[in-house]
Amino acid sequence: MKILLGLAKLIDAINERVGRITIWLVLVATLISAGNALARYVLSDSSNAWLEIQWYLFGAIFLLGAGYTLKHNGHVRIDILYGRFGIRGQAWIDLLGGLFFLLPLAILMAWLAWPIFLDSWRTLEHSSDSGGLLRWPVKLLLPLGFGLLALQGVAEIIKRIGVLTGRYQLPDKKPAEDV
């Protein structure tokens, strides 16, 4: 169990680092959006590439931030029953939810997205819009984002097993917005 908890700690560190970098993409997307609006309305000049990079950044924020959000307990959850259980009951719900819902979906999405990325990369697919960007970088975000989410799911499952066996204690488990 010690080795598995070490693996969970490593996965936590990876998603923490990726999440912290991803947070900065919000600022980048905001600055690009403001610059694009300024160029369009003040200089009467714009480019589809500027619009597309905003979409790409939004996709990156959403997909690359999913594992980080799971790590910090920030995903939307309906607490009708969950909040009534103690730590062990919540650990069981998290464990079963991770095993039967989160992991299968995240792995399936990453697996199905991989050939889509490869096809786009091999053909150097471009946007059909004039001045558009390459498409493969944004398509890479799909398997990467779902892969990071699946990894974080594995880490959370390991930690819940640790809770149930008495070998791990969860840190204060408040939702991210309450921290």
Side-chain angles (χ1 to χ4, degrees), residues 92-105 153-154 157:
W92 272 110
I93 291 172
D94 291 342
L95 174 64
L96 295 174
L99 283 172
F100 294 111
F101 297 105
L102 174 68
L103 273 185
L105 177 68
V154 168
I157 288 167

Side-chain angles (χ1 to χ4, degrees), residues 1 16 39 50 53 60 67 69 79 95 98 100 111 131 138-139 143 178:
M1 188 69 195
E16 186 69 28
W50 288 108
I53 195 68
T69 304
D79 269 352
L95 174 64
F100 294 111
W111 184 67
V138 75
K139 289 185 177 183
D178 294 344

Side-chain angles (χ1 to χ4, degrees), residues 81-161:
L81 296 175
Y82 187 84
R84 295 180 184 183
F85 290 106
I87 299 293
R88 289 183 59 78
Q90 291 176 354
W92 272 110
I93 291 172
D94 291 342
L95 174 64
L96 295 174
L99 283 172
F100 294 111
F101 297 105
L102 174 68
L103 273 185
L105 177 68
I107 291 168
L108 180 66
M109 292 299 291
W111 184 67
L112 291 174
W114 186 251
I116 294 169
F117 155 69
L118 284 178
D119 184 51
S120 181
W121 181 61
R122 284 184 195 124
T123 61
L124 295 175
E125 180 185 5
H126 275 78
S127 168
S128 59
D129 295 325
S130 175
L133 302 175
L134 280 170
R135 287 277 168 97
W136 70 261
V138 75
K139 289 185 177 183
L140 176 60
L141 292 172
L142 287 164
L144 189 59
F146 280 106
L148 288 168
L149 180 61
L151 280 175
Q152 191 60 45
V154 168
E156 298 303 316
I157 288 167
I158 290 168
K159 290 186 272 187
R160 293 327 181 270
I161 292 170

Side-chain angles (χ1 to χ4, degrees), residues 24-44:
W24 285 99
L25 294 181
V26 175
L27 175 63
V28 172
T30 303
L31 293 173
I32 288 173
S33 179
N36 190 30
L38 184 67
R40 177 177 293 159
Y41 295 111
V42 174
L43 305 174
S44 296

